Amino acid sequence: MAHKSRRVGIFAGTFDPVHNGHIAFAQAALHDCALDTIVFLPEARPRHKPWASPLVHRVAMLQLACAGWPQFEVRVCDEPQFSVAITLGALQREYGRDLTLLLGSDTAANVVKWPHADRLFSEVEFAIGRRNGVIVGIPGRATYITTQFEGMSATRVRADHSEAINPQVQQYIRNHNLYYND
C-alpha cells in the first residue's frame, strides 16, 4: 500500500554499527524537514566497504536502535546498494514522490558524482548532516542539520568501543562478538 500523503525521509547507508549520531540526525531531520517517517535503508553491499558486517546483524541493530521511535522504519534495500536509477523509483512508487534523502556531509560531497545525480537533484529534497564541521553545498533543495554528535562515526565507534550506542545495540554487539571482544 502506498503512503502518498506522508513526507518520508530515506536514510540509506551501512550502519555498521548504528550509533547515536545516526539516530540524532534522523530525529533532527524529522523536525527540521517536517517529515512524518524516516526509512532506514541498510545496504547489503555498501560501496567502498567490502568488509561490512553481515546485513542480518546491521538490520537487527537498526531495529533495536529504532524500537522506541514509531516514526522510524527499517527496510532492507532490494539492490546491493542505493542507486538513483533503480532504488529511487521503487521508493517513489512505495512512498510517493515527496522524498527527502538524508546524507552526511561526507557523502553529500560526492553525490554529484553518482550516476543519474541530476535526477536525484530534481526529484528529492536533501537533509544534510554536518560531519566534523563540514558544510557541503549541493545542487537542489537542502536543509543543513547540526546535532551534538556531528563528529561521531561508525569507524570511531568500532575502534574505541564508544558508549555512544543504544544500550540494546551495545548488548547485541557483545552477544554476537561484533567489532571487539570484551
Side-chain angles (χ1 to χ4, degrees):
M1 176 177 175
H3 306 282
K4 298 195 183 300
S5 63
R6 298 188 305 166
R7 287 189 35 86
V8 176
I10 304 296
F11 195 177
T14 307
F15 306 107
D16 194 21
V18 59
H19 54 71
N20 293 348
H22 293 124
I23 301 302
F25 175 42
Q27 291 169 334
L30 274 173
H31 178 267
D32 294 358
C33 300
L35 300 173
D36 299 304
T37 303
I38 302 286
V39 177
F40 286 80
L41 196 65
E43 299 173 326
R45 288 193 315 248
R47 290 172 186 81
H48 314 297
K49 296 180 183 179
W51 43 261
S53 298
L55 181 62
V56 65
H57 291 306
R58 293 183 286 121
V59 168
M61 290 185 285
L62 270 168
Q63 289 170 334
L64 289 168
C66 294
W69 293 93
Q71 308 93 328
F72 292 172
E73 174 183 328
V74 178
R75 173 184 170 163
V76 176
C77 189
D78 292 335
E79 294 75 43
Q81 62 268 137
F82 179 91
S83 76
V84 178
I86 299 169
T87 314
L88 180 60
L91 292 169
Q92 288 173 324
R93 284 187 295 281
E94 169 104 15
Y95 297 105
R97 298 192 63 80
D98 196 8
L99 299 177
T100 298
L101 186 61
L102 282 68
L103 302 173
S105 59
D106 53 337
T107 302
N110 295 311
V111 74
V112 296
K113 299 175 190 171
W114 290 8
H116 310 284
D118 291 344
R119 177 177 171 206
L120 197 62
F121 298 130
S122 67
E123 294 186 22
V124 303
E125 294 183 25
F126 294 89
I128 300 177
R130 285 180 57 172
R131 296 284 304 268
N132 301 314
V134 175
I135 297 177
V136 176
I138 62 168
R141 301 158 298 190
T143 300
Y144 295 87
I145 296 173
T146 301
T147 73
Q148 66 187 19
F149 296 101
E150 78 171 49
M152 183 62 50
S153 73
T155 301
R156 190 174 118 204
V157 167
R158 288 190 305 271
D160 70 8
H161 307 199
S162 174
E163 294 299 319
I165 299 177
N166 172 299
Q168 288 80 23
V169 173
Q170 189 72 263
Q171 189 61 50
Y172 184 93
I173 290 169
R174 285 189 186 100
N175 290 348
H176 295 275
N177 296 314
L178 299 174
Y179 316 120
Y180 46 82
N181 294 318
D182 290 337

XYZ file of all heavy atoms in Angstrom, residues 50-137:
685
model
N 33.753 -3.356 1.475
C 33.552 -4.805 1.314
C 33.682 -5.574 2.629
O 33.241 -6.712 2.732
C 34.670 -5.204 0.333
C 35.713 -4.153 0.495
C 34.968 -2.877 0.814
N 34.211 -4.960 3.629
C 34.412 -5.579 4.940
C 33.213 -5.424 5.863
O 33.255 -5.858 7.010
C 35.629 -4.944 5.622
C 35.628 -3.446 5.460
C 36.343 -2.728 4.534
C 34.860 -2.487 6.179
N 36.050 -1.382 4.638
C 35.139 -1.205 5.647
C 33.944 -2.574 7.221
C 34.543 -0.045 6.123
C 33.360 -1.404 7.688
C 33.664 -0.166 7.137
N 32.145 -4.813 5.409
C 30.987 -4.541 6.277
C 30.473 -5.827 6.928
O 30.506 -6.908 6.345
C 29.866 -3.888 5.487
N 29.989 -5.667 8.148
C 29.401 -6.793 8.873
C 28.228 -7.357 8.083
O 27.593 -6.645 7.300
C 28.905 -6.333 10.242
O 29.971 -5.869 11.023
N 27.887 -8.620 8.311
C 26.740 -9.209 7.598
C 25.467 -8.376 7.796
O 25.208 -7.850 8.878
C 26.606 -10.597 8.237
C 27.992 -10.925 8.713
C 28.563 -9.601 9.172
N 24.697 -8.298 6.728
C 23.476 -7.490 6.728
C 22.529 -7.881 7.859
O 21.912 -7.008 8.482
C 22.766 -7.610 5.378
C 21.490 -6.806 5.205
C 21.767 -5.306 5.318
C 20.844 -7.120 3.859
N 22.405 -9.158 8.155
C 21.486 -9.597 9.198
C 21.802 -8.908 10.536
O 20.889 -8.519 11.273
C 21.477 -11.141 9.331
C 22.821 -11.678 9.804
C 20.357 -11.599 10.232
N 23.072 -8.722 10.859
C 23.449 -8.048 12.103
C 23.139 -6.551 12.041
O 22.622 -5.974 13.001
C 24.937 -8.247 12.405
C 25.300 -9.642 12.765
N 24.683 -10.350 13.774
C 26.230 -10.471 12.240
C 25.212 -11.554 13.855
N 26.160 -11.659 12.930
N 23.420 -5.938 10.915
C 23.182 -4.490 10.798
C 21.687 -4.175 10.853
O 21.278 -3.192 11.457
C 23.838 -3.952 9.537
C 25.370 -4.039 9.642
C 26.125 -3.468 8.459
N 26.043 -4.343 7.304
C 25.538 -4.004 6.121
N 25.069 -2.786 5.901
N 25.515 -4.861 5.120
N 20.872 -5.044 10.257
C 19.411 -4.865 10.326
C 18.926 -5.039 11.760
O 18.129 -4.249 12.265
C 18.684 -5.831 9.365
C 17.186 -5.856 9.628
C 18.963 -5.446 7.916
N 19.400 -6.078 12.433
C 18.974 -6.329 13.821
C 19.347 -5.149 14.718
O 18.548 -4.722 15.555
C 19.604 -7.622 14.340
N 20.560 -4.604 14.546
C 20.970 -3.454 15.363
C 20.115 -2.226 15.062
O 19.727 -1.491 15.977
C 22.462 -3.158 15.157
C 23.368 -4.220 15.760
S 25.133 -3.818 15.656
C 25.465 -4.134 13.917
N 19.792 -2.003 13.794
C 18.911 -0.884 13.437
C 17.536 -1.049 14.071
O 16.963 -0.085 14.588
C 18.756 -0.774 11.922
C 19.759 0.090 11.193
C 19.660 -0.123 9.691
C 19.562 1.554 11.541
N 17.002 -2.245 14.033
C 15.684 -2.479 14.624
C 15.709 -2.193 16.123
O 14.767 -1.606 16.660
C 15.211 -3.901 14.327
C 14.858 -4.074 12.869
C 14.619 -5.517 12.457
O 15.143 -6.447 13.065
N 13.839 -5.695 11.397
N 16.779 -2.566 16.794
C 16.900 -2.274 18.223
C 17.007 -0.771 18.468
O 16.349 -0.232 19.362
C 18.139 -2.982 18.809
C 18.040 -4.499 18.929
C 19.409 -5.092 19.229
C 17.022 -4.886 19.999
N 17.817 -0.088 17.685
C 18.018 1.352 17.866
C 16.763 2.156 17.552
O 16.527 3.213 18.137
C 19.180 1.838 17.000
N 15.943 1.668 16.631
C 14.747 2.396 16.195
C 13.491 1.998 16.966
O 12.429 2.600 16.779
C 14.511 2.156 14.699
S 15.792 2.865 13.648
N 13.601 1.015 17.850
C 12.429 0.452 18.524
C 11.599 1.489 19.272
O 10.384 1.391 19.322
C 12.843 -0.669 19.471
N 12.202 2.497 19.843
C 11.458 3.492 20.597
C 10.905 4.628 19.761
O 10.323 5.570 20.307
N 11.068 4.549 18.466
C 10.650 5.635 17.580
C 9.622 5.138 16.572
O 10.003 4.559 15.549
C 11.865 6.212 16.854
C 12.777 6.893 17.806
C 13.859 6.361 18.445
C 12.640 8.223 18.279
N 14.404 7.298 19.285
C 13.681 8.450 19.193
C 11.728 9.250 18.012
C 13.828 9.661 19.857
C 11.889 10.460 18.663
C 12.929 10.643 19.564
N 8.336 5.361 16.812
C 7.326 4.881 15.862
C 7.444 5.533 14.482
O 6.936 4.993 13.498
C 5.992 5.233 16.531
C 6.314 6.220 17.590
C 7.748 6.025 17.966
N 8.143 6.672 14.400
C 8.316 7.338 13.104
C 9.455 6.731 12.293
O 9.671 7.114 11.157
C 8.622 8.837 13.286
C 7.674 9.580 14.153
C 8.141 9.634 15.607
O 8.788 8.743 16.136
N 7.779 10.713 16.292
N 10.206 5.801 12.888
C 11.333 5.176 12.197
C 10.930 3.789 11.705
O 10.268 3.033 12.406
C 12.542 5.035 13.122
C 13.186 6.341 13.530
C 14.185 6.340 14.485
C 12.825 7.553 12.977
C 14.805 7.511 14.884
C 13.432 8.741 13.366
C 14.424 8.714 14.324
N 11.371 3.484 10.501
C 11.088 2.196 9.871
C 12.406 1.654 9.320
O 13.226 2.417 8.816
C 10.087 2.450 8.738
C 9.751 1.297 7.872
C 8.788 1.705 6.743
O 7.951 2.603 6.929
O 8.906 1.091 5.666
N 12.625 0.370 9.417
C 13.808 -0.262 8.842
C 13.349 -1.114 7.670
O 12.447 -1.938 7.814
C 14.554 -1.132 9.884
C 15.762 -1.819 9.242
C 14.971 -0.301 11.091
N 13.971 -0.887 6.537
C 13.633 -1.643 5.324
C 14.943 -2.011 4.639
O 15.823 -1.177 4.493
C 12.793 -0.770 4.405
C 12.529 -1.402 3.069
C 11.788 -0.469 2.169
N 11.769 -1.043 0.829
C 10.951 -0.641 -0.099
N 10.096 0.322 0.137
N 10.984 -1.199 -1.287
N 15.069 -3.224 4.194
C 16.277 -3.648 3.508
C 16.196 -3.214 2.051
O 15.176 -3.405 1.386
C 16.469 -5.179 3.620
C 17.671 -5.635 2.815
C 16.615 -5.573 5.082
N 17.269 -2.634 1.579
C 17.371 -2.203 0.182
C 17.289 -3.435 -0.712
O 17.969 -4.436 -0.466
C 18.706 -1.473 -0.007
S 18.913 -0.651 -1.579
N 16.452 -3.407 -1.743
C 16.304 -4.537 -2.653
C 17.548 -4.750 -3.525
O 17.824 -5.854 -3.960
C 15.085 -4.354 -3.562
C 13.774 -4.428 -2.793
O 13.747 -5.059 -1.713
O 12.786 -3.843 -3.261
N 18.285 -3.682 -3.776
C 19.506 -3.757 -4.554
C 20.686 -3.859 -3.587
O 20.541 -3.569 -2.407
C 19.679 -2.496 -5.423
C 18.634 -2.351 -6.507
C 17.279 -1.917 -5.954
O 17.240 -1.031 -5.090
O 16.270 -2.486 -6.365
N 21.866 -4.229 -4.073
C 23.031 -4.325 -3.184
C 23.361 -3.002 -2.485
O 23.857 -2.991 -1.368
C 24.174 -4.740 -4.108
C 23.502 -5.368 -5.282
C 22.173 -4.685 -5.423
N 23.093 -1.893 -3.154
C 23.250 -0.576 -2.555
C 22.261 0.391 -3.211
O 21.722 0.103 -4.271
C 24.685 -0.044 -2.655
C 25.238 0.168 -4.027
C 25.987 -1.031 -4.562
O 25.801 -1.343 -5.708
N 26.803 -1.697 -3.793
N 22.047 1.521 -2.535
C 21.128 2.530 -3.056
C 21.611 2.983 -4.428
O 22.781 3.284 -4.620
C 21.081 3.739 -2.111
C 20.164 4.828 -2.586
C 18.837 4.844 -2.189
C 20.607 5.831 -3.438
C 17.973 5.846 -2.625
C 19.760 6.833 -3.881
C 18.437 6.835 -3.469
N 20.700 3.028 -5.400
C 21.025 3.583 -6.718
C 19.894 4.506 -7.145
O 18.725 4.233 -6.866
C 21.227 2.476 -7.759
O 19.995 1.943 -8.173
N 20.281 5.577 -7.793
C 19.277 6.520 -8.276
C 18.424 5.858 -9.347
O 17.198 5.980 -9.337
C 19.946 7.811 -8.817
C 18.898 8.765 -9.375
C 20.768 8.488 -7.727
N 19.051 5.116 -10.252
C 18.339 4.528 -11.390
C 17.273 3.524 -10.962
O 16.193 3.491 -11.550
C 19.335 3.860 -12.338
N 17.536 2.720 -9.936
C 16.598 1.657 -9.575
C 15.896 1.944 -8.248
O 14.671 1.940 -8.164
C 17.316 0.299 -9.513
C 17.908 -0.037 -10.888
C 16.373 -0.801 -9.050
C 18.857 -1.217 -10.880
N 16.670 2.183 -7.209
C 16.099 2.308 -5.864
C 15.169 3.507 -5.739
O 14.104 3.396 -5.129
C 17.220 2.408 -4.803
O 18.217 1.425 -5.055
C 16.665 2.234 -3.407
N 15.568 4.644 -6.290
C 14.749 5.850 -6.153
C 13.340 5.621 -6.697
O 12.355 5.936 -6.036
C 15.400 7.048 -6.832
C 14.609 8.357 -6.745
C 14.399 8.773 -5.288
C 15.307 9.459 -7.529
N 13.236 5.056 -7.887
C 11.914 4.799 -8.468
C 11.075 3.852 -7.617
O 9.878 4.074 -7.418
N 11.698 2.806 -7.093
C 10.971 1.853 -6.237
C 10.466 2.546 -4.977
O 9.324 2.323 -4.545
C 11.871 0.673 -5.882
N 11.300 3.388 -4.390
C 10.883 4.109 -3.182
C 9.767 5.106 -3.478
O 8.839 5.268 -2.688
C 12.085 4.818 -2.551
C 13.142 3.892 -1.952
C 14.408 4.678 -1.607
C 12.610 3.165 -0.729
N 9.831 5.768 -4.631
C 8.772 6.705 -5.004
C 7.454 5.976 -5.244
O 6.390 6.492 -4.891
C 9.178 7.509 -6.244
C 10.258 8.531 -5.942
C 10.795 9.208 -7.191
O 10.932 8.598 -8.253
N 11.124 10.487 -7.052
N 7.502 4.800 -5.831
C 6.267 4.020 -6.017
C 5.690 3.609 -4.664
O 4.479 3.599 -4.474
C 6.527 2.793 -6.899
C 6.665 3.131 -8.368
C 6.750 1.904 -9.255
N 7.935 1.088 -9.029
C 9.160 1.357 -9.501
N 9.357 2.449 -10.227
N 10.170 0.554 -9.244
N 6.540 3.282 -3.727
C 6.085 2.821 -2.406
C 5.621 3.975 -1.517
O 4.588 3.889 -0.862
C 7.225 2.083 -1.701
C 6.944 1.805 -0.248
C 6.575 0.377 0.051
O 6.788 -0.490 -0.806
O 6.058 0.139 1.148
N 6.388 5.069 -1.486
C 6.140 6.141 -0.513
C 5.667 7.458 -1.127
O 5.406 8.405 -0.395
C 7.413 6.416 0.297
C 7.859 5.234 1.116
C 8.954 4.474 0.732
C 7.171 4.866 2.273
C 9.367 3.378 1.484
C 7.574 3.775 3.022
C 8.674 3.032 2.624
O 9.075 1.958 3.370
N 5.590 7.531 -2.445
C 5.208 8.783 -3.087
C 6.442 9.565 -3.511
O 7.576 9.202 -3.208
N 6.211 10.635 -4.200
C 7.327 11.393 -4.786
C 7.936 12.407 -3.825
O 8.981 12.965 -4.094
C 6.866 12.074 -6.065
C 6.432 11.044 -7.118
C 6.239 11.619 -8.485
N 7.435 12.181 -9.070
C 8.407 11.482 -9.658
N 8.325 10.168 -9.711
N 9.436 12.087 -10.192
N 7.303 12.655 -2.707
C 7.768 13.676 -1.764
C 8.792 13.074 -0.796
O 8.506 12.854 0.377
C 6.573 14.260 -1.007
C 6.909 15.563 -0.314
O 8.007 16.107 -0.536
O 6.067 16.036 0.461
N 9.990 12.772 -1.306
C 11.033 12.135 -0.513
C 12.141 13.124 -0.162
O 12.450 14.022 -0.935
C 11.651 10.960 -1.271
C 10.718 9.817 -1.651
C 11.475 8.762 -2.452
C 10.089 9.201 -0.410
N 12.726 12.896 1.002
C 13.898 13.642 1.433
C 14.998 12.623 1.696
O 14.796 11.667 2.449
C 13.611 14.447 2.717
O 12.566 15.392 2.433
C 14.848 15.185 3.200
N 16.137 12.806 1.067
C 17.262 11.896 1.234
C 18.181 12.450 2.318
O 18.632 13.590 2.232
C 18.013 11.747 -0.088
C 19.132 10.716 -0.139
C 18.592 9.308 0.134
C 19.818 10.748 -1.497
N 18.437 11.655 3.349
C 19.314 12.044 4.442
C 20.734 11.612 4.108
O 20.973 10.435 3.803
C 18.889 11.393 5.757
C 17.695 12.008 6.484
C 16.399 11.827 5.742
C 17.592 11.442 7.884
N 21.664 12.569 4.150
C 23.067 12.302 3.850
C 23.948 13.016 4.853
O 23.676 14.154 5.220
C 23.452 12.838 2.461
C 22.716 12.348 1.231
C 23.153 13.150 0.015
C 22.988 10.877 1.016
N 25.037 12.375 5.236
C 26.074 13.077 5.973
C 26.845 13.958 5.003
O 26.874 13.672 3.793
N 27.471 15.025 5.490
C 28.190 15.920 4.585
C 29.333 15.202 3.874
O 29.699 15.581 2.759
C 28.699 17.161 5.323
O 29.559 16.810 6.382
N 29.890 14.146 4.475
C 30.939 13.384 3.802
C 30.391 12.695 2.548
O 31.027 12.689 1.498
C 31.579 12.374 4.756
C 30.573 11.460 5.447
O 29.383 11.823 5.556
O 30.984 10.369 5.883
N 29.197 12.149 2.610
C 28.560 11.527 1.454
C 28.058 12.582 0.478
O 28.205 12.435 -0.738
C 27.391 10.625 1.901
O 27.905 9.647 2.804
C 26.730 9.936 0.724
N 27.496 13.671 1.001
C 26.975 14.734 0.139
C 28.067 15.330 -0.740
O 27.798 15.759 -1.866
C 26.319 15.822 0.983
N 29.302 15.327 -0.247
C 30.414 15.881 -1.028
C 30.620 15.112 -2.333
O 31.128 15.664 -3.307
C 31.694 15.851 -0.194
N 30.200 13.849 -2.369
C 30.400 13.019 -3.563
C 29.133 12.751 -4.353
O 29.188 12.119 -5.396
C 31.024 11.679 -3.148
C 32.408 11.873 -2.596
O 33.237 12.542 -3.195
N 32.660 11.311 -1.421
N 27.988 13.217 -3.882
C 26.725 12.868 -4.530
C 26.663 13.390 -5.970
O 26.021 12.767 -6.818
C 25.508 13.332 -3.690
C 25.302 14.823 -3.762
C 24.247 12.591 -4.088
N 27.336 14.479 -6.268
C 27.323 14.991 -7.648
C 27.985 14.020 -8.623
O 27.738 14.087 -9.818
C 27.996 16.389 -7.752
C 27.219 17.427 -6.972
C 29.438 16.338 -7.323
N 28.785 13.084 -8.128
C 29.473 12.099 -8.971
C 28.656 10.825 -9.166
O 29.050 9.946 -9.933
C 30.822 11.731 -8.346
C 31.766 12.894 -8.208
C 33.017 12.458 -7.477
C 33.870 13.661 -7.118
N 34.980 13.264 -6.228
N 27.536 10.692 -8.455
C 26.733 9.487 -8.564
C 26.111 9.390 -9.954
O 25.707 10.415 -10.536
C 25.603 9.494 -7.556
C 25.993 9.322 -6.124
C 27.245 9.297 -5.585
C 25.090 9.177 -5.034
N 27.176 9.137 -4.229
C 25.860 9.062 -3.860
C 23.711 9.135 -4.935
C 25.295 8.901 -2.603
C 23.140 8.981 -3.680
C 23.932 8.851 -2.540
N 25.964 8.171 -10.482
C 25.224 8.014 -11.741
C 23.795 8.543 -11.565
O 23.165 8.287 -10.541
C 25.222 6.497 -11.980
C 26.391 5.990 -11.188
C 26.503 6.900 -9.994
N 23.324 9.302 -12.538
C 21.963 9.854 -12.560
C 21.735 10.885 -11.447
O 20.595 11.091 -11.006
C 20.904 8.749 -12.474
C 21.115 7.645 -13.451
N 20.825 7.770 -14.780
C 21.616 6.391 -13.282
C 21.131 6.651 -15.403
N 21.612 5.804 -14.527
N 22.789 11.546 -10.993
C 22.666 12.539 -9.914
C 21.706 13.662 -10.292
O 20.983 14.165 -9.428
C 24.039 13.103 -9.550
N 21.663 14.057 -11.553
C 20.746 15.130 -11.965
C 19.300 14.786 -11.633
O 18.534 15.645 -11.203
C 20.877 15.430 -13.463
C 22.202 16.077 -13.812
O 22.883 16.574 -12.883
O 22.560 16.091 -14.996
N 18.936 13.534 -11.841
C 17.570 13.098 -11.496
C 17.334 13.252 -9.997
O 16.287 13.714 -9.560
C 17.356 11.650 -11.921
C 16.000 11.136 -11.517
C 15.746 9.724 -11.989
N 14.511 9.242 -11.380
C 14.244 7.988 -11.159
N 15.095 7.038 -11.530
N 13.107 7.644 -10.592
N 18.323 12.866 -9.212
C 18.214 12.975 -7.760
C 17.999 14.434 -7.350
O 17.119 14.745 -6.550
C 19.488 12.415 -7.123
C 19.466 12.068 -5.667
C 18.446 10.975 -5.382
C 20.854 11.615 -5.227
N 18.792 15.343 -7.915
C 18.688 16.759 -7.547
C 17.349 17.361 -7.952
O 16.849 18.268 -7.294
C 19.831 17.568 -8.160
C 21.185 17.141 -7.676
C 22.202 16.886 -8.566
C 21.439 16.982 -6.324
C 23.452 16.488 -8.122
C 22.688 16.581 -5.870
C 23.691 16.327 -6.767
N 16.745 16.844 -9.013
C 15.475 17.421 -9.456
C 14.264 16.781 -8.773
O 13.197 17.376 -8.756
C 15.336 17.312 -10.978
O 15.205 15.967 -11.376
N 14.418 15.583 -8.202
C 13.248 14.864 -7.697
C 13.142 14.730 -6.182
O 12.084 14.369 -5.692
C 13.194 13.460 -8.326
C 12.945 13.520 -9.821
C 12.741 12.154 -10.443
O 12.385 11.206 -9.718
O 12.928 12.047 -11.670
N 14.210 14.958 -5.448
C 14.135 14.810 -3.991
C 14.710 16.053 -3.308
O 15.443 16.829 -3.914
C 14.883 13.552 -3.470
C 14.363 12.294 -4.124
C 16.370 13.667 -3.633
N 14.355 16.180 -2.053
C 14.999 17.170 -1.206
C 16.083 16.455 -0.422
O 16.106 15.219 -0.365
C 13.974 17.796 -0.262
C 12.931 18.619 -0.990
C 11.958 19.303 -0.044
O 12.322 19.541 1.134
O 10.842 19.588 -0.494
N 16.957 17.218 0.199
C 18.049 16.636 0.974
C 18.048 17.187 2.384
O 17.760 18.358 2.604
C 19.408 16.973 0.340
C 19.615 16.353 -1.000
C 19.211 17.019 -2.148
C 20.198 15.106 -1.123
C 19.387 16.445 -3.390
C 20.372 14.530 -2.369
C 19.972 15.195 -3.506
N 18.384 16.321 3.315
C 18.724 16.728 4.680
C 20.195 16.342 4.821
O 20.544 15.160 4.684
C 17.873 15.992 5.707
N 21.039 17.315 5.038
C 22.474 17.055 5.093
C 22.969 17.304 6.509
O 22.851 18.405 7.040
C 23.238 17.917 4.082
C 22.734 17.597 2.670
C 24.744 17.690 4.207
C 23.340 18.415 1.578
N 23.507 16.252 7.098
C 24.035 16.330 8.454
C 25.485 16.750 8.436
O 26.286 16.174 7.709
N 25.784 17.771 9.217
C 27.174 18.217 9.317
C 28.015 17.131 9.963
O 27.636 16.554 10.970
C 27.270 19.487 10.150
C 26.801 20.708 9.399
C 26.900 21.940 10.227
N 28.278 22.144 10.697
C 28.682 23.237 11.321
N 27.831 24.199 11.559
N 29.924 23.355 11.721
N 29.168 16.885 9.364
C 30.143 15.943 9.912
C 31.431 16.722 10.128
O 31.978 17.301 9.183
C 30.407 14.788 8.944
C 29.232 13.885 8.656
C 28.898 12.911 9.765
N 29.983 12.055 10.171
C 30.222 10.849 9.675
N 29.469 10.357 8.730
N 31.219 10.127 10.131
N 31.886 16.759 11.351
C 33.153 17.410 11.690
C 33.230 18.855 11.206
O 34.253 19.297 10.701
C 34.327 16.590 11.148
C 34.338 15.196 11.712
O 34.179 15.011 12.917
N 34.484 14.202 10.863
N 32.125 19.578 11.334
C 32.103 20.990 10.983
C 31.996 21.284 9.503
O 32.002 22.440 9.100
N 31.907 20.264 8.672
C 31.892 20.449 7.219
C 30.467 20.704 6.737
O 29.536 19.989 7.094
C 32.467 19.204 6.506
C 32.339 19.330 4.996
C 33.907 18.980 6.919
N 30.315 21.748 5.939
C 29.045 22.025 5.264
C 29.325 21.957 3.769
O 30.219 22.630 3.268
C 28.486 23.416 5.625
C 28.185 23.484 7.122
C 27.240 23.721 4.805
C 27.696 24.839 7.581
N 28.591 21.120 3.062
C 28.787 20.920 1.636
C 27.574 21.440 0.900
O 26.455 21.014 1.170
C 28.979 19.415 1.332
C 29.082 19.180 -0.159
C 30.199 18.882 2.050
N 27.799 22.347 -0.036
C 26.707 22.829 -0.876
C 26.479 21.855 -2.015
O 27.424 21.319 -2.584
